mmCIF file of all heavy atoms in Angstrom:
data_model
loop_
_atom_site.group_PDB
_atom_site.id
_atom_site.type_symbol
_atom_site.label_atom_id
_atom_site.label_comp_id
_atom_site.label_asym_id
_atom_site.label_seq_id
_atom_site.Cartn_x
_atom_site.Cartn_y
_atom_site.Cartn_z
ATOM 1 N N TYR A 443 -1.136 3.728 -6.224
ATOM 2 C CA TYR A 443 -0.250 4.813 -5.742
ATOM 3 C C TYR A 443 -0.722 6.173 -6.349
ATOM 4 O O TYR A 443 -1.012 7.132 -5.587
ATOM 5 C CB TYR A 443 1.194 4.526 -6.090
ATOM 6 C CG TYR A 443 2.165 5.650 -5.752
ATOM 7 C CD1 TYR A 443 2.338 5.987 -4.403
ATOM 8 C CD2 TYR A 443 2.862 6.274 -6.704
ATOM 9 C CE1 TYR A 443 3.241 7.019 -4.048
ATOM 10 C CE2 TYR A 443 3.762 7.345 -6.410
ATOM 11 C CZ TYR A 443 3.980 7.672 -5.074
ATOM 12 O OH TYR A 443 4.826 8.666 -4.777
ATOM 13 N N LYS A 444 -0.738 6.265 -7.669
ATOM 14 C CA LYS A 444 -1.107 7.491 -8.323
ATOM 15 C C LYS A 444 -2.594 7.790 -8.072
ATOM 16 O O LYS A 444 -3.034 8.953 -7.952
ATOM 17 C CB LYS A 444 -0.769 7.459 -9.782
ATOM 18 C CG LYS A 444 0.708 7.472 -10.052
ATOM 19 C CD LYS A 444 1.024 7.473 -11.522
ATOM 20 C CE LYS A 444 2.521 7.508 -11.768
ATOM 21 N NZ LYS A 444 2.857 7.470 -13.238
ATOM 22 N N ASP A 445 -3.416 6.751 -8.092
ATOM 23 C CA ASP A 445 -4.867 6.929 -7.880
ATOM 24 C C ASP A 445 -5.168 7.599 -6.543
ATOM 25 O O ASP A 445 -5.926 8.554 -6.438
ATOM 26 C CB ASP A 445 -5.584 5.581 -7.911
ATOM 27 C CG ASP A 445 -5.629 4.978 -9.331
ATOM 28 O OD1 ASP A 445 -5.302 5.715 -10.290
ATOM 29 O OD2 ASP A 445 -5.961 3.794 -9.461
ATOM 30 N N GLN A 446 -4.546 7.157 -5.486
ATOM 31 C CA GLN A 446 -4.815 7.729 -4.176
ATOM 32 C C GLN A 446 -4.240 9.106 -3.998
ATOM 33 O O GLN A 446 -4.820 9.930 -3.328
ATOM 34 C CB GLN A 446 -4.238 6.780 -3.070
ATOM 35 C CG GLN A 446 -5.032 5.481 -2.915
ATOM 36 C CD GLN A 446 -5.136 5.002 -1.483
ATOM 37 O OE1 GLN A 446 -4.902 5.766 -0.542
ATOM 38 N NE2 GLN A 446 -5.424 3.772 -1.324
ATOM 39 N N ILE A 447 -3.111 9.330 -4.632
ATOM 40 C CA ILE A 447 -2.573 10.724 -4.550
ATOM 41 C C ILE A 447 -3.545 11.706 -5.228
ATOM 42 O O ILE A 447 -3.759 12.798 -4.773
ATOM 43 C CB ILE A 447 -1.191 10.765 -5.258
ATOM 44 C CG1 ILE A 447 -0.136 10.100 -4.370
ATOM 45 C CG2 ILE A 447 -0.811 12.229 -5.596
ATOM 46 C CD1 ILE A 447 1.260 10.157 -4.891
ATOM 47 N N ALA A 448 -4.154 11.256 -6.348
ATOM 48 C CA ALA A 448 -5.160 12.095 -7.022
ATOM 49 C C ALA A 448 -6.392 12.269 -6.221
ATOM 50 O O ALA A 448 -7.003 13.343 -6.181
ATOM 51 C CB ALA A 448 -5.426 11.496 -8.401
ATOM 52 N N GLN A 449 -6.829 11.215 -5.554
ATOM 53 C CA GLN A 449 -8.152 11.204 -4.867
ATOM 54 C C GLN A 449 -8.018 11.902 -3.464
ATOM 55 O O GLN A 449 -8.975 12.525 -3.018
ATOM 56 C CB GLN A 449 -8.643 9.785 -4.622
ATOM 57 C CG GLN A 449 -9.120 9.084 -5.928
ATOM 58 C CD GLN A 449 -9.451 7.669 -5.682
ATOM 59 O OE1 GLN A 449 -9.644 7.196 -4.566
ATOM 60 N NE2 GLN A 449 -9.510 6.875 -6.771
ATOM 61 N N LEU A 450 -6.860 11.848 -2.838
ATOM 62 C CA LEU A 450 -6.692 12.387 -1.503
ATOM 63 C C LEU A 450 -5.800 13.642 -1.592
ATOM 64 O O LEU A 450 -4.740 13.740 -0.883
ATOM 65 C CB LEU A 450 -6.066 11.342 -0.596
ATOM 66 C CG LEU A 450 -6.904 10.014 -0.465
ATOM 67 C CD1 LEU A 450 -6.122 9.034 0.398
ATOM 68 C CD2 LEU A 450 -8.221 10.326 0.146
ATOM 69 N N ARG A 451 -6.167 14.558 -2.380
ATOM 70 C CA ARG A 451 -5.333 15.748 -2.636
ATOM 71 C C ARG A 451 -5.184 16.657 -1.355
ATOM 72 O O ARG A 451 -4.291 17.442 -1.239
ATOM 73 C CB ARG A 451 -5.905 16.557 -3.756
ATOM 74 C CG ARG A 451 -5.808 15.929 -5.117
ATOM 75 C CD ARG A 451 -6.438 16.715 -6.232
ATOM 76 N NE ARG A 451 -6.339 16.037 -7.516
ATOM 77 C CZ ARG A 451 -6.920 16.419 -8.605
ATOM 78 N NH1 ARG A 451 -7.707 17.462 -8.586
ATOM 79 N NH2 ARG A 451 -6.787 15.758 -9.772
ATOM 80 N N GLU A 452 -6.165 16.500 -0.496
ATOM 81 C CA GLU A 452 -6.139 17.320 0.753
ATOM 82 C C GLU A 452 -5.112 16.862 1.754
ATOM 83 O O GLU A 452 -4.773 17.504 2.696
ATOM 84 C CB GLU A 452 -7.530 17.377 1.424
ATOM 85 C CG GLU A 452 -7.953 16.083 2.146
ATOM 86 C CD GLU A 452 -8.397 14.989 1.211
ATOM 87 O OE1 GLU A 452 -8.396 15.198 -0.003
ATOM 88 O OE2 GLU A 452 -8.788 13.887 1.710
ATOM 89 N N LYS A 453 -4.541 15.641 1.501
ATOM 90 C CA LYS A 453 -3.559 15.104 2.407
ATOM 91 C C LYS A 453 -2.167 15.161 1.783
ATOM 92 O O LYS A 453 -1.958 15.082 0.521
ATOM 93 C CB LYS A 453 -3.881 13.606 2.739
ATOM 94 C CG LYS A 453 -5.112 13.410 3.521
ATOM 95 C CD LYS A 453 -5.371 11.942 3.839
ATOM 96 C CE LYS A 453 -6.610 11.716 4.672
ATOM 97 N NZ LYS A 453 -6.435 12.225 6.039
ATOM 98 N N ASP A 454 -1.140 15.316 2.603
ATOM 99 C CA ASP A 454 0.199 15.250 2.088
ATOM 100 C C ASP A 454 0.705 13.866 2.073
ATOM 101 O O ASP A 454 1.041 13.227 3.090
ATOM 102 C CB ASP A 454 1.125 16.095 3.029
ATOM 103 C CG ASP A 454 2.628 16.099 2.547
ATOM 104 O OD1 ASP A 454 2.890 15.622 1.441
ATOM 105 O OD2 ASP A 454 3.449 16.632 3.308
ATOM 106 N N LEU A 455 0.691 13.256 0.863
ATOM 107 C CA LEU A 455 1.081 11.848 0.733
ATOM 108 C C LEU A 455 2.492 11.689 0.124
ATOM 109 O O LEU A 455 2.848 10.618 -0.293
ATOM 110 C CB LEU A 455 0.042 11.098 -0.158
ATOM 111 C CG LEU A 455 -1.394 11.010 0.399
ATOM 112 C CD1 LEU A 455 -2.269 10.216 -0.488
ATOM 113 C CD2 LEU A 455 -1.331 10.401 1.844
ATOM 114 N N ALA A 456 3.224 12.767 0.106
ATOM 115 C CA ALA A 456 4.604 12.732 -0.396
ATOM 116 C C ALA A 456 5.485 12.231 0.705
ATOM 117 O O ALA A 456 6.424 12.935 1.145
ATOM 118 C CB ALA A 456 5.045 14.078 -0.928
ATOM 119 N N THR A 457 5.231 11.045 1.236
ATOM 120 C CA THR A 457 5.952 10.489 2.327
ATOM 121 C C THR A 457 6.571 9.133 1.970
ATOM 122 O O THR A 457 6.076 8.437 1.114
ATOM 123 C CB THR A 457 5.069 10.269 3.559
ATOM 124 O OG1 THR A 457 4.053 9.311 3.238
ATOM 125 C CG2 THR A 457 4.401 11.579 4.008
ATOM 126 N N TYR A 458 7.656 8.818 2.629
ATOM 127 C CA TYR A 458 8.269 7.475 2.417
ATOM 128 C C TYR A 458 7.299 6.324 2.785
ATOM 129 O O TYR A 458 7.196 5.343 2.094
ATOM 130 C CB TYR A 458 9.519 7.358 3.209
ATOM 131 C CG TYR A 458 10.061 5.926 3.338
ATOM 132 C CD1 TYR A 458 10.759 5.359 2.278
ATOM 133 C CD2 TYR A 458 9.862 5.190 4.479
ATOM 134 C CE1 TYR A 458 11.193 4.075 2.360
ATOM 135 C CE2 TYR A 458 10.311 3.890 4.563
ATOM 136 C CZ TYR A 458 10.964 3.305 3.493
ATOM 137 O OH TYR A 458 11.421 2.019 3.596
ATOM 138 N N GLY A 459 6.526 6.557 3.858
ATOM 139 C CA GLY A 459 5.593 5.549 4.295
ATOM 140 C C GLY A 459 4.535 5.220 3.277
ATOM 141 O O GLY A 459 4.198 4.064 3.084
ATOM 142 N N PHE A 460 4.006 6.279 2.614
ATOM 143 C CA PHE A 460 2.967 5.995 1.649
ATOM 144 C C PHE A 460 3.551 5.307 0.421
ATOM 145 O O PHE A 460 2.942 4.392 -0.138
ATOM 146 C CB PHE A 460 2.293 7.323 1.257
ATOM 147 C CG PHE A 460 1.163 7.129 0.267
ATOM 148 C CD1 PHE A 460 0.009 6.472 0.675
ATOM 149 C CD2 PHE A 460 1.287 7.527 -1.059
ATOM 150 C CE1 PHE A 460 -1.040 6.262 -0.224
ATOM 151 C CE2 PHE A 460 0.237 7.323 -1.913
ATOM 152 C CZ PHE A 460 -0.920 6.677 -1.533
ATOM 153 N N LEU A 461 4.717 5.781 -0.091
ATOM 154 C CA LEU A 461 5.363 5.133 -1.211
ATOM 155 C C LEU A 461 5.702 3.646 -0.925
ATOM 156 O O LEU A 461 5.482 2.759 -1.771
ATOM 157 C CB LEU A 461 6.595 5.839 -1.631
ATOM 158 C CG LEU A 461 7.431 5.235 -2.825
ATOM 159 C CD1 LEU A 461 6.616 5.290 -4.114
ATOM 160 C CD2 LEU A 461 8.750 5.958 -2.957
ATOM 161 N N GLY A 462 6.089 3.373 0.297
ATOM 162 C CA GLY A 462 6.545 2.051 0.671
ATOM 163 C C GLY A 462 5.470 1.133 1.227
ATOM 164 O O GLY A 462 5.801 0.014 1.615
ATOM 165 N N TYR A 463 4.188 1.591 1.280
ATOM 166 C CA TYR A 463 3.193 0.765 1.919
ATOM 167 C C TYR A 463 3.012 -0.576 1.194
ATOM 168 O O TYR A 463 2.705 -1.640 1.874
ATOM 169 C CB TYR A 463 1.866 1.525 2.120
ATOM 170 C CG TYR A 463 0.884 1.483 1.002
ATOM 171 C CD1 TYR A 463 -0.019 0.444 0.789
ATOM 172 C CD2 TYR A 463 0.908 2.567 0.094
ATOM 173 C CE1 TYR A 463 -0.918 0.480 -0.249
ATOM 174 C CE2 TYR A 463 -0.032 2.543 -0.979
ATOM 175 C CZ TYR A 463 -0.893 1.527 -1.158
ATOM 176 O OH TYR A 463 -1.756 1.561 -2.209
ATOM 177 N N PRO A 464 3.184 -0.717 -0.114
ATOM 178 C CA PRO A 464 3.070 -2.006 -0.729
ATOM 179 C C PRO A 464 4.125 -3.006 -0.225
ATOM 180 O O PRO A 464 3.895 -4.191 -0.214
ATOM 181 C CB PRO A 464 3.205 -1.783 -2.243
ATOM 182 C CG PRO A 464 2.841 -0.355 -2.391
ATOM 183 C CD PRO A 464 3.300 0.339 -1.150
ATOM 184 N N VAL A 465 5.292 -2.486 0.160
ATOM 185 C CA VAL A 465 6.344 -3.364 0.731
ATOM 186 C C VAL A 465 5.880 -3.819 2.101
ATOM 187 O O VAL A 465 6.101 -5.011 2.448
ATOM 188 C CB VAL A 465 7.673 -2.621 0.813
ATOM 189 C CG1 VAL A 465 8.793 -3.539 1.329
ATOM 190 C CG2 VAL A 465 8.104 -2.080 -0.575
ATOM 191 N N LEU A 466 5.327 -2.958 2.928
ATOM 192 C CA LEU A 466 4.769 -3.393 4.199
ATOM 193 C C LEU A 466 3.711 -4.370 4.005
ATOM 194 O O LEU A 466 3.579 -5.390 4.725
ATOM 195 C CB LEU A 466 4.244 -2.163 4.982
ATOM 196 C CG LEU A 466 3.590 -2.459 6.358
ATOM 197 C CD1 LEU A 466 4.527 -3.237 7.236
ATOM 198 C CD2 LEU A 466 3.161 -1.158 7.014
ATOM 199 N N GLN A 467 2.847 -4.174 3.018
ATOM 200 C CA GLN A 467 1.789 -5.115 2.686
ATOM 201 C C GLN A 467 2.368 -6.482 2.276
ATOM 202 O O GLN A 467 1.856 -7.581 2.719
ATOM 203 C CB GLN A 467 0.965 -4.570 1.569
ATOM 204 C CG GLN A 467 -0.443 -5.265 1.411
ATOM 205 C CD GLN A 467 -1.343 -4.495 0.455
ATOM 206 O OE1 GLN A 467 -0.882 -4.111 -0.639
ATOM 207 N NE2 GLN A 467 -2.581 -4.293 0.810
ATOM 208 N N SER A 468 3.433 -6.476 1.540
ATOM 209 C CA SER A 468 4.129 -7.736 1.132
ATOM 210 C C SER A 468 4.669 -8.405 2.432
ATOM 211 O O SER A 468 4.583 -9.654 2.557
ATOM 212 C CB SER A 468 5.265 -7.445 0.198
ATOM 213 O OG SER A 468 4.742 -6.925 -1.022
ATOM 214 N N ALA A 469 5.239 -7.639 3.332
ATOM 215 C CA ALA A 469 5.772 -8.227 4.532
ATOM 216 C C ALA A 469 4.662 -8.867 5.371
ATOM 217 O O ALA A 469 4.830 -9.944 5.942
ATOM 218 C CB ALA A 469 6.463 -7.156 5.378
ATOM 219 N N ASP A 470 3.478 -8.193 5.400
ATOM 220 C CA ASP A 470 2.304 -8.751 6.144
ATOM 221 C C ASP A 470 1.966 -10.147 5.637
ATOM 222 O O ASP A 470 1.525 -10.995 6.405
ATOM 223 C CB ASP A 470 1.106 -7.834 5.950
ATOM 224 C CG ASP A 470 1.292 -6.461 6.518
ATOM 225 O OD1 ASP A 470 2.095 -6.282 7.473
ATOM 226 O OD2 ASP A 470 0.660 -5.493 6.018
ATOM 227 N N ILE A 471 2.116 -10.337 4.325
ATOM 228 C CA ILE A 471 1.752 -11.651 3.699
ATOM 229 C C ILE A 471 2.893 -12.653 3.850
ATOM 230 O O ILE A 471 2.670 -13.788 4.300
ATOM 231 C CB ILE A 471 1.454 -11.442 2.230
ATOM 232 C CG1 ILE A 471 0.214 -10.499 2.064
ATOM 233 C CG2 ILE A 471 1.176 -12.751 1.498
ATOM 234 C CD1 ILE A 471 0.006 -9.973 0.636
ATOM 235 N N LEU A 472 4.097 -12.251 3.539
ATOM 236 C CA LEU A 472 5.196 -13.219 3.484
ATOM 237 C C LEU A 472 5.625 -13.638 4.856
ATOM 238 O O LEU A 472 6.224 -14.688 4.993
ATOM 239 C CB LEU A 472 6.366 -12.530 2.731
ATOM 240 C CG LEU A 472 6.103 -12.218 1.256
ATOM 241 C CD1 LEU A 472 7.255 -11.428 0.651
ATOM 242 C CD2 LEU A 472 5.849 -13.488 0.471
ATOM 243 N N ILE A 473 5.426 -12.816 5.893
ATOM 244 C CA ILE A 473 5.855 -13.172 7.231
ATOM 245 C C ILE A 473 5.179 -14.467 7.707
ATOM 246 O O ILE A 473 5.643 -15.210 8.576
ATOM 247 C CB ILE A 473 5.528 -12.009 8.235
ATOM 248 C CG1 ILE A 473 6.340 -12.211 9.505
ATOM 249 C CG2 ILE A 473 4.085 -11.963 8.537
ATOM 250 C CD1 ILE A 473 7.795 -11.851 9.420
ATOM 251 N N TYR A 474 3.962 -14.795 7.131
ATOM 252 C CA TYR A 474 3.247 -16.045 7.459
ATOM 253 C C TYR A 474 3.412 -17.127 6.388
ATOM 254 O O TYR A 474 2.663 -18.102 6.439
ATOM 255 C CB TYR A 474 1.762 -15.681 7.764
ATOM 256 C CG TYR A 474 1.729 -14.731 8.934
ATOM 257 C CD1 TYR A 474 1.438 -13.406 8.687
ATOM 258 C CD2 TYR A 474 1.968 -15.148 10.220
ATOM 259 C CE1 TYR A 474 1.438 -12.441 9.744
ATOM 260 C CE2 TYR A 474 2.030 -14.211 11.266
ATOM 261 C CZ TYR A 474 1.733 -12.895 11.034
ATOM 262 O OH TYR A 474 1.759 -11.967 12.067
ATOM 263 N N ARG A 475 4.247 -16.781 5.409
ATOM 264 C CA ARG A 475 4.427 -17.709 4.283
ATOM 265 C C ARG A 475 3.069 -18.147 3.698
ATOM 266 O O ARG A 475 2.807 -19.363 3.451
ATOM 267 C CB ARG A 475 5.249 -18.965 4.721
ATOM 268 C CG ARG A 475 6.723 -18.602 5.075
ATOM 269 C CD ARG A 475 7.473 -19.757 5.594
ATOM 270 N NE ARG A 475 8.914 -19.524 5.526
ATOM 271 C CZ ARG A 475 9.760 -19.859 6.479
ATOM 272 N NH1 ARG A 475 9.309 -20.407 7.580
ATOM 273 N NH2 ARG A 475 11.054 -19.623 6.335
ATOM 274 N N ALA A 476 2.225 -17.185 3.511
ATOM 275 C CA ALA A 476 0.836 -17.448 3.047
ATOM 276 C C ALA A 476 0.843 -18.035 1.686
ATOM 277 O O ALA A 476 1.650 -17.608 0.807
ATOM 278 C CB ALA A 476 0.063 -16.160 3.126
ATOM 279 N N THR A 477 -0.020 -18.950 1.470
ATOM 280 C CA THR A 477 -0.192 -19.535 0.121
ATOM 281 C C THR A 477 -1.300 -18.841 -0.630
ATOM 282 O O THR A 477 -1.321 -18.830 -1.898
ATOM 283 C CB THR A 477 -0.525 -21.029 0.184
ATOM 284 O OG1 THR A 477 -1.710 -21.180 0.995
ATOM 285 C CG2 THR A 477 0.628 -21.826 0.793
ATOM 286 N N GLY A 478 -2.212 -18.174 0.067
ATOM 287 C CA GLY A 478 -3.298 -17.494 -0.614
ATOM 288 C C GLY A 478 -3.701 -16.257 0.119
ATOM 289 O O GLY A 478 -3.592 -16.155 1.369
ATOM 290 N N VAL A 479 -4.128 -15.225 -0.629
ATOM 291 C CA VAL A 479 -4.528 -13.935 -0.017
ATOM 292 C C VAL A 479 -5.871 -13.555 -0.638
ATOM 293 O O VAL A 479 -5.990 -13.322 -1.803
ATOM 294 C CB VAL A 479 -3.522 -12.821 -0.367
ATOM 295 C CG1 VAL A 479 -3.813 -11.558 0.420
ATOM 296 C CG2 VAL A 479 -2.075 -13.258 -0.128
ATOM 297 N N PRO A 480 -6.944 -13.559 0.211
ATOM 298 C CA PRO A 480 -8.273 -13.206 -0.297
ATOM 299 C C PRO A 480 -8.374 -11.675 -0.562
ATOM 300 O O PRO A 480 -8.264 -10.908 0.331
ATOM 301 C CB PRO A 480 -9.235 -13.653 0.809
ATOM 302 C CG PRO A 480 -8.390 -13.626 2.065
ATOM 303 C CD PRO A 480 -7.012 -13.915 1.634
ATOM 304 N N VAL A 481 -8.570 -11.340 -1.819
ATOM 305 C CA VAL A 481 -8.575 -9.935 -2.216
ATOM 306 C C VAL A 481 -9.627 -9.708 -3.320
ATOM 307 O O VAL A 481 -10.076 -10.627 -3.972
ATOM 308 C CB VAL A 481 -7.230 -9.468 -2.767
ATOM 309 C CG1 VAL A 481 -6.163 -9.398 -1.677
ATOM 310 C CG2 VAL A 481 -6.755 -10.275 -3.951
ATOM 311 N N GLY A 482 -10.046 -8.420 -3.483
ATOM 312 C CA GLY A 482 -10.832 -8.052 -4.590
ATOM 313 C C GLY A 482 -9.992 -7.773 -5.793
ATOM 314 O O GLY A 482 -8.740 -7.705 -5.645
ATOM 315 N N GLU A 483 -10.590 -7.504 -6.934
ATOM 316 C CA GLU A 483 -9.785 -7.347 -8.121
ATOM 317 C C GLU A 483 -8.841 -6.133 -8.075
ATOM 318 O O GLU A 483 -7.748 -6.117 -8.643
ATOM 319 C CB GLU A 483 -10.696 -7.164 -9.380
ATOM 320 C CG GLU A 483 -11.403 -8.480 -9.770
ATOM 321 C CD GLU A 483 -12.193 -8.326 -11.015
ATOM 322 O OE1 GLU A 483 -12.228 -7.233 -11.597
ATOM 323 O OE2 GLU A 483 -12.864 -9.331 -11.383
#
């Protein structure tokens, strides 16, 4: 969250959608009752 705000200073990221995107990401996973999620560190 803080990393992207620092890196993308030219964009206005003071939005509800940006703050809440990890919740949308959680919904993406939980909606399929996934047991595993392939990700990088």
Side-chain angles (χ1 to χ4, degrees):
Y443 175 65
K444 291 182 179 178
D445 289 346
Q446 289 216 18
I447 285 181
Q449 293 173 15
L450 302 175
R451 291 177 182 172
E452 73 282 2
K453 294 181 178 290
D454 179 9
L455 297 183
T457 62
Y458 167 75
F460 183 68
L461 177 65
Y463 85 86
V465 182
L466 177 56
Q467 197 171 45
S468 295
D470 297 332
I471 297 166
L472 297 173
I473 197 78
Y474 301 103
R475 292 176 163 139
T477 56
V479 189
V481 292
E483 289 185 3

